[in-house]
Amino acid sequence: MTSSEHNRAVDYAQAGLLAPLPPVGRYLTFSQRAAGDLPILLRTLAALADGVRTVVGLGPAVLEQTGAKIPGMREFPQYVCSVVVPSTPTDVWVWLRGDDTGDLFHRSRFLVEGLAPWARLESAMDAFVHRGGRDLTGYEDGTENPKGDNIPETALVSPEMAESMPRGLVGSSFAVVQQWQHGFALWSQMSSKEKDLAIGRRISDNAELGDAPPSAHIKRTAQERFWPPAFILRRSMPWVEGEQGGLMFVAFSHSFNAFEAQLRRMVGLDDGVTDALFQFARPLTGAYFWCPPVQGGRLDLQALGI
Ligand code: HEM
């Protein structure tokens, strides 16, 4: 892809999904109230979301209902094997980005009220950046994320890819959202060495460990080791609620293929080895969304005929 094509995809993208993490975030999910109200729900959402401070994803059931075909869109795969990975499809996903939790609370109230006639709020969860970008385990998260031009190349549907697709797809993205809960009691019982080996990096300096076992998380997910290479743009944020906490895993890509290749290796479907993350963490949710492009500061839903 040439750099001018990059720019074109970037011009249409929800800029918030490409940007570095904001200090705080708030995740909302909605379900539609009545099928007949979908066009007005989507039109209202398009006007309320700018794609910068408010990133929006639409679930497979909603897309299917519009009659539109978004190539590559599908349901999140459920796995019940040596570990359990649930699939919890959702109609609408919103990621509010900002720098003050109180402001996000008020912005979410505004959004919930605006959508109330047509959509029911299903969940709301605050999230934040911890110690400059670490997971609650203390390990730096995002080290091997794509950088520079590789960010849009990884995350966005390019004009080249969209050539044979319906109109209105350039600059759109496919989002994976998975709420992971950490078992901190289990984590505390692991020695420092066991923790480093589970992640595959040394916590003190973030260096990759030469002696990491195949179950180490970064061995399971090493992006350049897949064929085709499986790059994703991770934009996850820690969450806490009462005594519970974990990671809201969020990743963007121009298709779900890279994520699925990684997930299959994490759950052991490729070689029987399960990701060591499952020793202390488990996913509570799992959903796929299509993040439409933007035009003129609002969501561009022409691909859905809206
Ligand atoms: C509890 C949930 C998770 C935690 C705490 C976690 C944490 C981490 C940490 C600490 C790293 C090393 C630093 C880095 O490169 O970012 C990492 C790398 C990575 N993780 Fe996760 N992760 C989680 C879930 C997932 C899931 C579900 C996937 C995808 C299926 C994933 C994909 C990746 C990838 C692609 C890398 C970089 C691998 C490489 O190319 O070196 N992670 N993660």
Side-chain angles (χ1 to χ4, degrees), residues 8 19-21 40 61 63 68 75 94 102 113 139 150 155 163 194 200 209 218 229 244 256 272-273 288 304 306:
R8 284 191 49 208
L21 287 176
I40 185 157
L63 297 172
E75 290 228 336
V94 177
E113 265 175 39
Y139 286 82
N150 289 332
E163 238 166 43
E194 283 169 340
L209 296 181
I218 68 160
Q244 307 301 330
F256 293 121
V273 178
Y288 280 167
L304 309 182
I306 288 172

PDB file of all heavy atoms in Angstrom, residues 8 19-21 40 61 63 68 75 94 102 113 139 150 155 163 194 200 209 218 229 244 256 272-273 288 304 306:
ATOM      1  N   ARG A   8      -5.529   8.067   2.880  1.00  0.00           N
ATOM      2  CA  ARG A   8      -6.957   8.051   2.586  1.00  0.00           C
ATOM      3  C   ARG A   8      -7.712   7.234   3.615  1.00  0.00           C
ATOM      4  O   ARG A   8      -8.754   7.649   4.085  1.00  0.00           O
ATOM      5  CB  ARG A   8      -7.189   7.514   1.174  1.00  0.00           C
ATOM      6  CG  ARG A   8      -6.848   8.538   0.109  1.00  0.00           C
ATOM      7  CD  ARG A   8      -7.320   8.111  -1.238  1.00  0.00           C
ATOM      8  NE  ARG A   8      -8.706   7.685  -1.222  1.00  0.00           N
ATOM      9  CZ  ARG A   8      -9.223   6.799  -2.071  1.00  0.00           C
ATOM     10  NH1 ARG A   8      -8.460   6.249  -2.983  1.00  0.00           N
ATOM     11  NH2 ARG A   8     -10.487   6.475  -2.013  1.00  0.00           N
ATOM     12  N   ALA A  19      -5.339   6.490  17.909  1.00  0.00           N
ATOM     13  CA  ALA A  19      -4.571   7.333  18.834  1.00  0.00           C
ATOM     14  C   ALA A  19      -4.058   6.524  20.022  1.00  0.00           C
ATOM     15  O   ALA A  19      -4.601   5.463  20.340  1.00  0.00           O
ATOM     16  CB  ALA A  19      -5.476   8.460  19.329  1.00  0.00           C
ATOM     17  N   PRO A  20      -2.999   7.046  20.677  1.00  0.00           N
ATOM     18  CA  PRO A  20      -2.549   6.393  21.915  1.00  0.00           C
ATOM     19  C   PRO A  20      -3.680   6.367  22.940  1.00  0.00           C
ATOM     20  O   PRO A  20      -4.665   7.117  22.812  1.00  0.00           O
ATOM     21  CB  PRO A  20      -1.405   7.291  22.402  1.00  0.00           C
ATOM     22  CG  PRO A  20      -1.015   8.122  21.224  1.00  0.00           C
ATOM     23  CD  PRO A  20      -2.209   8.229  20.333  1.00  0.00           C
ATOM     24  N   LEU A  21      -3.540   5.549  23.966  1.00  0.00           N
ATOM     25  CA  LEU A  21      -4.599   5.442  24.979  1.00  0.00           C
ATOM     26  C   LEU A  21      -4.814   6.768  25.686  1.00  0.00           C
ATOM     27  O   LEU A  21      -3.850   7.469  25.992  1.00  0.00           O
ATOM     28  CB  LEU A  21      -4.208   4.391  26.026  1.00  0.00           C
ATOM     29  CG  LEU A  21      -4.278   2.938  25.600  1.00  0.00           C
ATOM     30  CD1 LEU A  21      -3.774   2.044  26.725  1.00  0.00           C
ATOM     31  CD2 LEU A  21      -5.698   2.552  25.216  1.00  0.00           C
ATOM     32  N   ILE A  40     -33.327   4.601  12.899  1.00  0.00           N
ATOM     33  CA  ILE A  40     -33.266   5.839  13.697  1.00  0.00           C
ATOM     34  C   ILE A  40     -32.220   5.716  14.811  1.00  0.00           C
ATOM     35  O   ILE A  40     -31.506   6.671  15.134  1.00  0.00           O
ATOM     36  CB  ILE A  40     -34.657   6.258  14.242  1.00  0.00           C
ATOM     37  CG1 ILE A  40     -34.530   7.598  14.956  1.00  0.00           C
ATOM     38  CG2 ILE A  40     -35.302   5.252  15.135  1.00  0.00           C
ATOM     39  CD1 ILE A  40     -35.795   8.367  15.053  1.00  0.00           C
ATOM     40  N   ALA A  61     -25.301  -8.816  14.639  1.00  0.00           N
ATOM     41  CA  ALA A  61     -26.760  -8.939  14.485  1.00  0.00           C
ATOM     42  C   ALA A  61     -27.355  -7.652  13.928  1.00  0.00           C
ATOM     43  O   ALA A  61     -28.238  -7.674  13.067  1.00  0.00           O
ATOM     44  CB  ALA A  61     -27.399  -9.278  15.827  1.00  0.00           C
ATOM     45  N   LEU A  63     -25.771  -5.413  12.099  1.00  0.00           N
ATOM     46  CA  LEU A  63     -25.344  -5.244  10.702  1.00  0.00           C
ATOM     47  C   LEU A  63     -26.192  -6.117   9.787  1.00  0.00           C
ATOM     48  O   LEU A  63     -26.637  -5.676   8.728  1.00  0.00           O
ATOM     49  CB  LEU A  63     -23.866  -5.600  10.551  1.00  0.00           C
ATOM     50  CG  LEU A  63     -22.923  -4.691  11.348  1.00  0.00           C
ATOM     51  CD1 LEU A  63     -21.498  -5.223  11.299  1.00  0.00           C
ATOM     52  CD2 LEU A  63     -22.965  -3.258  10.803  1.00  0.00           C
ATOM     53  N   ALA A  68     -27.071  -5.202   4.988  1.00  0.00           N
ATOM     54  CA  ALA A  68     -25.768  -4.919   4.370  1.00  0.00           C
ATOM     55  C   ALA A  68     -24.832  -6.102   4.582  1.00  0.00           C
ATOM     56  O   ALA A  68     -24.968  -6.849   5.547  1.00  0.00           O
ATOM     57  CB  ALA A  68     -25.161  -3.683   4.996  1.00  0.00           C
ATOM     58  N   GLU A  75     -19.470 -13.633  14.038  1.00  0.00           N
ATOM     59  CA  GLU A  75     -19.635 -13.673  15.491  1.00  0.00           C
ATOM     60  C   GLU A  75     -18.329 -14.107  16.143  1.00  0.00           C
ATOM     61  O   GLU A  75     -17.568 -14.893  15.581  1.00  0.00           O
ATOM     62  CB  GLU A  75     -20.741 -14.663  15.867  1.00  0.00           C
ATOM     63  CG  GLU A  75     -22.098 -14.167  15.479  1.00  0.00           C
ATOM     64  CD  GLU A  75     -23.121 -14.284  16.612  1.00  0.00           C
ATOM     65  OE1 GLU A  75     -22.936 -15.114  17.506  1.00  0.00           O
ATOM     66  OE2 GLU A  75     -24.118 -13.534  16.553  1.00  0.00           O
ATOM     67  N   VAL A  94     -19.555   1.158  22.691  1.00  0.00           N
ATOM     68  CA  VAL A  94     -19.046   2.538  22.675  1.00  0.00           C
ATOM     69  C   VAL A  94     -17.853   2.630  23.613  1.00  0.00           C
ATOM     70  O   VAL A  94     -17.902   2.143  24.748  1.00  0.00           O
ATOM     71  CB  VAL A  94     -20.144   3.538  23.127  1.00  0.00           C
ATOM     72  CG1 VAL A  94     -19.585   4.952  23.174  1.00  0.00           C
ATOM     73  CG2 VAL A  94     -21.351   3.480  22.200  1.00  0.00           C
ATOM     74  N   GLY A 102     -15.140  11.762  35.796  1.00  0.00           N
ATOM     75  CA  GLY A 102     -16.411  12.468  36.001  1.00  0.00           C
ATOM     76  C   GLY A 102     -16.979  12.970  34.681  1.00  0.00           C
ATOM     77  O   GLY A 102     -18.182  12.848  34.412  1.00  0.00           O
ATOM     78  N   GLU A 113     -29.096   8.813  27.439  1.00  0.00           N
ATOM     79  CA  GLU A 113     -30.381   9.528  27.300  1.00  0.00           C
ATOM     80  C   GLU A 113     -30.754   9.710  25.836  1.00  0.00           C
ATOM     81  O   GLU A 113     -31.895   9.516  25.435  1.00  0.00           O
ATOM     82  CB  GLU A 113     -30.293  10.909  27.948  1.00  0.00           C
ATOM     83  CG  GLU A 113     -30.790  10.929  29.366  1.00  0.00           C
ATOM     84  CD  GLU A 113     -30.574  12.278  30.014  1.00  0.00           C
ATOM     85  OE1 GLU A 113     -30.753  13.316  29.340  1.00  0.00           O
ATOM     86  OE2 GLU A 113     -30.195  12.274  31.197  1.00  0.00           O
ATOM     87  N   TYR A 139       2.948  -5.659  34.355  1.00  0.00           N
ATOM     88  CA  TYR A 139       3.718  -5.808  33.120  1.00  0.00           C
ATOM     89  C   TYR A 139       3.288  -4.771  32.093  1.00  0.00           C
ATOM     90  O   TYR A 139       2.082  -4.487  31.957  1.00  0.00           O
ATOM     91  CB  TYR A 139       3.541  -7.223  32.537  1.00  0.00           C
ATOM     92  CG  TYR A 139       4.303  -8.243  33.329  1.00  0.00           C
ATOM     93  CD1 TYR A 139       3.765  -8.768  34.503  1.00  0.00           C
ATOM     94  CD2 TYR A 139       5.576  -8.641  32.947  1.00  0.00           C
ATOM     95  CE1 TYR A 139       4.476  -9.687  35.272  1.00  0.00           C
ATOM     96  CE2 TYR A 139       6.296  -9.565  33.707  1.00  0.00           C
ATOM     97  CZ  TYR A 139       5.743 -10.075  34.871  1.00  0.00           C
ATOM     98  OH  TYR A 139       6.454 -10.969  35.630  1.00  0.00           O
ATOM     99  N   ASN A 150       2.565   1.598  10.296  1.00  0.00           N
ATOM    100  CA  ASN A 150       2.020   0.252  10.507  1.00  0.00           C
ATOM    101  C   ASN A 150       0.735   0.276  11.328  1.00  0.00           C
ATOM    102  O   ASN A 150       0.002  -0.710  11.357  1.00  0.00           O
ATOM    103  CB  ASN A 150       3.049  -0.651  11.195  1.00  0.00           C
ATOM    104  CG  ASN A 150       4.184  -1.000  10.261  1.00  0.00           C
ATOM    105  OD1 ASN A 150       3.997  -1.046   9.045  1.00  0.00           O
ATOM    106  ND2 ASN A 150       5.363  -1.208  10.796  1.00  0.00           N
ATOM    107  N   ALA A 155      -4.706  -1.621  11.309  1.00  0.00           N
ATOM    108  CA  ALA A 155      -6.037  -1.464  11.912  1.00  0.00           C
ATOM    109  C   ALA A 155      -7.153  -1.171  10.918  1.00  0.00           C
ATOM    110  O   ALA A 155      -8.319  -1.403  11.233  1.00  0.00           O
ATOM    111  CB  ALA A 155      -5.989  -0.349  12.955  1.00  0.00           C
ATOM    112  N   GLU A 163     -11.476  -2.449  -2.592  1.00  0.00           N
ATOM    113  CA  GLU A 163     -11.774  -2.360  -4.026  1.00  0.00           C
ATOM    114  C   GLU A 163     -12.963  -3.226  -4.443  1.00  0.00           C
ATOM    115  O   GLU A 163     -13.854  -2.791  -5.151  1.00  0.00           O
ATOM    116  CB  GLU A 163     -10.541  -2.785  -4.832  1.00  0.00           C
ATOM    117  CG  GLU A 163     -10.053  -1.710  -5.770  1.00  0.00           C
ATOM    118  CD  GLU A 163      -8.664  -2.042  -6.275  1.00  0.00           C
ATOM    119  OE1 GLU A 163      -8.422  -3.214  -6.609  1.00  0.00           O
ATOM    120  OE2 GLU A 163      -7.826  -1.109  -6.317  1.00  0.00           O
ATOM    121  N   GLU A 194       8.060 -17.273  38.101  1.00  0.00           N
ATOM    122  CA  GLU A 194       6.891 -17.898  37.444  1.00  0.00           C
ATOM    123  C   GLU A 194       6.076 -16.844  36.688  1.00  0.00           C
ATOM    124  O   GLU A 194       5.565 -17.103  35.599  1.00  0.00           O
ATOM    125  CB  GLU A 194       5.985 -18.571  38.486  1.00  0.00           C
ATOM    126  CG  GLU A 194       6.510 -19.908  38.978  1.00  0.00           C
ATOM    127  CD  GLU A 194       5.754 -20.436  40.201  1.00  0.00           C
ATOM    128  OE1 GLU A 194       5.085 -19.641  40.918  1.00  0.00           O
ATOM    129  OE2 GLU A 194       5.851 -21.644  40.451  1.00  0.00           O
ATOM    130  N   GLY A 200       6.514 -14.071  29.626  1.00  0.00           N
ATOM    131  CA  GLY A 200       7.606 -14.221  28.657  1.00  0.00           C
ATOM    132  C   GLY A 200       8.513 -13.010  28.639  1.00  0.00           C
ATOM    133  O   GLY A 200       9.392 -12.890  27.779  1.00  0.00           O
ATOM    134  N   LEU A 209      12.342 -12.935  27.557  1.00  0.00           N
ATOM    135  CA  LEU A 209      13.138 -13.977  28.203  1.00  0.00           C
ATOM    136  C   LEU A 209      13.539 -15.036  27.187  1.00  0.00           C
ATOM    137  O   LEU A 209      12.673 -15.599  26.506  1.00  0.00           O
ATOM    138  CB  LEU A 209      12.337 -14.639  29.323  1.00  0.00           C
ATOM    139  CG  LEU A 209      11.952 -13.752  30.504  1.00  0.00           C
ATOM    140  CD1 LEU A 209      11.195 -14.576  31.532  1.00  0.00           C
ATOM    141  CD2 LEU A 209      13.188 -13.131  31.133  1.00  0.00           C
ATOM    142  N   ILE A 218       3.724 -14.252  25.362  1.00  0.00           N
ATOM    143  CA  ILE A 218       4.295 -13.654  24.133  1.00  0.00           C
ATOM    144  C   ILE A 218       4.785 -14.710  23.141  1.00  0.00           C
ATOM    145  O   ILE A 218       4.997 -14.408  21.970  1.00  0.00           O
ATOM    146  CB  ILE A 218       5.402 -12.604  24.403  1.00  0.00           C
ATOM    147  CG1 ILE A 218       6.645 -13.231  24.979  1.00  0.00           C
ATOM    148  CG2 ILE A 218       4.890 -11.466  25.265  1.00  0.00           C
ATOM    149  CD1 ILE A 218       7.869 -12.325  24.790  1.00  0.00           C
ATOM    150  N   PRO A 229       1.623 -13.298   8.815  1.00  0.00           N
ATOM    151  CA  PRO A 229       1.868 -12.624  10.083  1.00  0.00           C
ATOM    152  C   PRO A 229       0.562 -12.068  10.651  1.00  0.00           C
ATOM    153  O   PRO A 229      -0.306 -11.617   9.897  1.00  0.00           O
ATOM    154  CB  PRO A 229       2.836 -11.495   9.721  1.00  0.00           C
ATOM    155  CG  PRO A 229       3.497 -11.955   8.472  1.00  0.00           C
ATOM    156  CD  PRO A 229       2.476 -12.777   7.732  1.00  0.00           C
ATOM    157  N   GLN A 244     -12.744  -6.526  42.366  1.00  0.00           N
ATOM    158  CA  GLN A 244     -12.362  -7.226  41.133  1.00  0.00           C
ATOM    159  C   GLN A 244     -11.597  -6.301  40.193  1.00  0.00           C
ATOM    160  O   GLN A 244     -11.744  -5.083  40.257  1.00  0.00           O
ATOM    161  CB  GLN A 244     -13.607  -7.745  40.396  1.00  0.00           C
ATOM    162  CG  GLN A 244     -14.550  -8.580  41.239  1.00  0.00           C
ATOM    163  CD  GLN A 244     -13.875  -9.822  41.818  1.00  0.00           C
ATOM    164  OE1 GLN A 244     -12.949 -10.365  41.219  1.00  0.00           O
ATOM    165  NE2 GLN A 244     -14.327 -10.244  42.982  1.00  0.00           N
ATOM    166  N   PHE A 256     -10.666 -10.054  11.258  1.00  0.00           N
ATOM    167  CA  PHE A 256     -10.545 -10.775  12.525  1.00  0.00           C
ATOM    168  C   PHE A 256      -9.544 -11.932  12.432  1.00  0.00           C
ATOM    169  O   PHE A 256      -9.314 -12.633  13.418  1.00  0.00           O
ATOM    170  CB  PHE A 256     -11.918 -11.325  12.944  1.00  0.00           C
ATOM    171  CG  PHE A 256     -12.908 -10.255  13.304  1.00  0.00           C
ATOM    172  CD1 PHE A 256     -14.110 -10.140  12.628  1.00  0.00           C
ATOM    173  CD2 PHE A 256     -12.637  -9.347  14.318  1.00  0.00           C
ATOM    174  CE1 PHE A 256     -15.027  -9.151  12.950  1.00  0.00           C
ATOM    175  CE2 PHE A 256     -13.542  -8.358  14.659  1.00  0.00           C
ATOM    176  CZ  PHE A 256     -14.742  -8.256  13.969  1.00  0.00           C
ATOM    177  N   GLY A 272      -1.864 -27.928  21.451  1.00  0.00           N
ATOM    178  CA  GLY A 272      -2.174 -28.488  22.772  1.00  0.00           C
ATOM    179  C   GLY A 272      -1.600 -27.694  23.941  1.00  0.00           C
ATOM    180  O   GLY A 272      -1.799 -28.061  25.094  1.00  0.00           O
ATOM    181  N   VAL A 273      -0.864 -26.626  23.636  1.00  0.00           N
ATOM    182  CA  VAL A 273      -0.279 -25.815  24.715  1.00  0.00           C
ATOM    183  C   VAL A 273      -1.200 -24.622  24.992  1.00  0.00           C
ATOM    184  O   VAL A 273      -1.547 -23.884  24.078  1.00  0.00           O
ATOM    185  CB  VAL A 273       1.135 -25.303  24.317  1.00  0.00           C
ATOM    186  CG1 VAL A 273       1.723 -24.417  25.417  1.00  0.00           C
ATOM    187  CG2 VAL A 273       2.059 -26.467  24.008  1.00  0.00           C
ATOM    188  N   TYR A 288     -17.334  -9.224  18.811  1.00  0.00           N
ATOM    189  CA  TYR A 288     -16.774  -8.594  17.618  1.00  0.00           C
ATOM    190  C   TYR A 288     -17.652  -7.412  17.210  1.00  0.00           C
ATOM    191  O   TYR A 288     -18.895  -7.493  17.304  1.00  0.00           O
ATOM    192  CB  TYR A 288     -16.787  -9.579  16.448  1.00  0.00           C
ATOM    193  CG  TYR A 288     -15.672 -10.603  16.415  1.00  0.00           C
ATOM    194  CD1 TYR A 288     -15.761 -11.702  15.552  1.00  0.00           C
ATOM    195  CD2 TYR A 288     -14.527 -10.481  17.194  1.00  0.00           C
ATOM    196  CE1 TYR A 288     -14.746 -12.651  15.481  1.00  0.00           C
ATOM    197  CE2 TYR A 288     -13.517 -11.426  17.122  1.00  0.00           C
ATOM    198  CZ  TYR A 288     -13.634 -12.505  16.271  1.00  0.00           C
ATOM    199  OH  TYR A 288     -12.631 -13.434  16.190  1.00  0.00           O
ATOM    200  N   LEU A 304     -24.161   0.723   5.166  1.00  0.00           N
ATOM    201  CA  LEU A 304     -25.371   0.065   5.682  1.00  0.00           C
ATOM    202  C   LEU A 304     -26.634   0.619   5.012  1.00  0.00           C
ATOM    203  O   LEU A 304     -27.751   0.344   5.439  1.00  0.00           O
ATOM    204  CB  LEU A 304     -25.478   0.287   7.191  1.00  0.00           C
ATOM    205  CG  LEU A 304     -24.228  -0.058   8.023  1.00  0.00           C
ATOM    206  CD1 LEU A 304     -24.478   0.151   9.507  1.00  0.00           C
ATOM    207  CD2 LEU A 304     -23.783  -1.504   7.764  1.00  0.00           C
ATOM    208  N   ILE A 306     -27.462   3.750   5.107  1.00  0.00           N
ATOM    209  CA  ILE A 306     -28.033   4.768   6.001  1.00  0.00           C
ATOM    210  C   ILE A 306     -27.258   6.066   5.878  1.00  0.00           C
ATOM    211  O   ILE A 306     -26.034   6.027   5.843  1.00  0.00           O
ATOM    212  CB  ILE A 306     -28.022   4.279   7.468  1.00  0.00           C
ATOM    213  CG1 ILE A 306     -29.080   3.187   7.633  1.00  0.00           C
ATOM    214  CG2 ILE A 306     -28.228   5.410   8.468  1.00  0.00           C
ATOM    215  CD1 ILE A 306     -29.079   2.480   8.945  1.00  0.00           C
TER     216      ILE A 306
END
